[in-house]
Amino acid sequence: MLRLTKRSEYGLMALAFMAQSGQSYTSVREIVAKLRIPRRLLAEVLKDLSRAEIVEAVRGPGGGYRLTSPADQLSLARIVEILEGSVAVAKCADGSSCDLSPSCTIQEGINLVAQRVKSVLDDFTLAQLADRGPQGSQSVHEVAV
Amino acid sequence: MLRLTKRSEYGLMALAFMAQSGQSYTSVREIVAKLRIPRRLLAEVLKDLSRAEIVEAVRGPGGGYRLTSPADQLSLARIVEILEGSVAVAKCADGSSCDLSPSCTIQEGINLVAQRVKSVLDDFTLAQLADRGPQGSQSVHEVAV
DNA sequence: TGAATGGGCACTAAATAGATGCTATATTCT
DNA sequence: AGAATATAGCATCTATTTAGTGCCCATTCA
Ligand code: SF4
Ligand code: SF4
């Protein structure tokens, strides 16, 4: 339906939160306290992001997650790709095979569209996303030091 | 999942086919003969496009569907909007309300992304799509006269 | 009249997405 | 050591959306 999943949205919210917060480690509990999203689901999402090394996790009291790289070097495409597999507008647009492919007359065109949509996500960074949030006055990637 | 539905793809294929074929009326039967897609589903799709006056329908022998406007004046956004409701990358991006909206920190940013994705679809015409298909050598919108 | 062709509705099936439970493991603090 | 805090892993269940189909009616034309 050309729509981002909740997983992506939750992930982006959490990452934006981390980018803004400035603190070193942020726990799921903290994030859930601010944003009103299902705790367990957010945990799943962050775990995936941790596996993909988008964030670094530390357990135990005072632990939580932390971005592994500056927010302005993290594209939405990357995040969405991790959280929902790929950003392909059509099945054939990310290498997957489609049984209609042989007789499909619009494949080439659709792929061009897919490519353009992809670049939109590629060009949008987490920093840009966070900069537009509530606390998004100061440059996020400057603060995160 | 940021992916077009089959409805959209089938619709686009059919419209591209009509744009290329040059003949005045094209029946579901004809389209299905070329493209290997479920007949009944395509019929549903074309009916919706007919309701939206993207195509004009004529019943009876020799009847079928015909584009109501030149292929280069029909954007993918328009078609997708008709076939799947809207092209919003996020729920809130098309006016719909989202219960997370009050506490959502990324709404503004996401809307910007949504807007950009929308313009990709807005700027891509059926003619462009059809021009890249199998028979897409000559300019589609010139032929359709 | 009969064949071709779209129109309308309702329904089933499959795929995706959303959400949660439970237990294990690591870390810190007392 | 033991309690408290946090993430890790896995399985599962439910809800929503998408895909696909059946059946009959209306229109047009030869
Ligand atoms: S564009 Fe054609 S080939 Fe690519 S996924 Fe859609 S149908 Fe399959
Ligand atoms: S962006 Fe925020 S408000 Fe908009 S749909 Fe996603 S969650 Fe709801």
Side-chain angles (χ1 to χ4, degrees), chain A:
Chain A
M1 197 225 266
L2 211 43
R3 184 165 299 179
L4 254 27
T5 63
K6 293 285 183 198
R7 280 175 64 83
S8 290
E9 292 200 334
Y10 294 160
L12 292 173
M13 282 188 222
L15 292 173
F17 180 83
M18 286 185 246
Q20 290 175 335
S21 79
Q23 54 182 295
S24 59
Y25 288 101
T26 311
S27 69
V28 171
R29 183 182 45 73
E30 285 178 275
I31 300 176
V32 166
K34 293 289 176 189
L35 285 23
R36 287 308 167 77
I37 59 187
R39 187 183 63 85
R40 289 286 294 94
L41 189 46
L42 176 62
E44 290 295 323
V45 166
L46 282 170
K47 193 172 34 180
D48 288 348
L49 291 172
S50 175
R51 280 209 194 93
E53 296 182 69
I54 294 297
V55 294
E56 174 194 3
V58 166
R59 303 192 212 187
Y65 297 95
R66 179 175 64 173
L67 290 171
T68 54
S69 50
D72 63 348
Q73 279 171 38
L74 190 50
S75 73
L76 297 208
R78 178 86 194 287
I79 301 168
V80 171
E81 223 155 64
I82 290 165
L83 261 19
E84 44 190 86
S86 85
V87 288
V89 162
K91 195 178 175 190
C92 66
D94 71 326
S96 310
S97 73
C98 169
D99 25 307
L100 297 177
S101 175
S103 63
C104 179
T105 55
I106 60 172
Q107 188 165 9
E108 204 178 326
I110 288 291
N111 272 60
L112 217 169
V113 173
Q115 200 175 303
R116 292 191 189 170
V117 169
K118 177 77 163 16
S119 9
V120 170
L121 279 289
D122 268 328
D123 294 345
F124 212 96
T125 70
L126 177 60
Q128 288 177 284
L129 193 72
D131 270 341
R132 296 177 172 279
Q135 283 81 28
S137 37
Q138 69 284 8
S139 264
V140 159
H141 44 284
E142 299 294 308
V143 177
V145 184

Side-chain angles (χ1 to χ4, degrees), chain B residues 28-136:
Chain B
V28 171
R29 183 182 45 72
E30 286 177 277
I31 300 176
V32 167
K34 294 288 176 189
L35 286 21
R36 287 311 168 74
I37 58 187
R39 187 184 63 84
R40 290 284 293 94
L41 189 46
L42 176 62
E44 291 294 323
V45 167
L46 282 170
K47 192 172 38 180
D48 288 347
L49 291 173
S50 175
R51 280 209 193 92
E53 298 181 69
I54 294 296
V55 294
E56 173 193 4
V58 166
R59 302 192 213 189
Y65 297 95
R66 179 175 63 174
L67 289 172
T68 55
S69 50
D72 61 348
Q73 278 170 39
L74 191 51
S75 73
L76 298 207
R78 179 85 193 288
I79 301 167
V80 171
E81 223 155 63
I82 291 165
L83 260 19
E84 44 191 84
S86 85
V87 287
V89 162
K91 195 178 176 191
C92 68
D94 72 325
S96 310
S97 74
C98 169
D99 24 308
L100 298 177
S101 174
S103 63
C104 180
T105 54
I106 60 171
Q107 187 165 10
E108 204 178 325
I110 289 290
N111 273 60
L112 217 169
V113 173
Q115 200 175 302
R116 292 191 190 170
V117 169
K118 177 78 163 18
S119 11
V120 171
L121 279 289
D122 268 328
D123 295 344
F124 212 97
T125 69
L126 177 61
Q128 289 176 285
L129 193 72
D131 270 342
R132 297 177 171 280
Q135 283 82 29

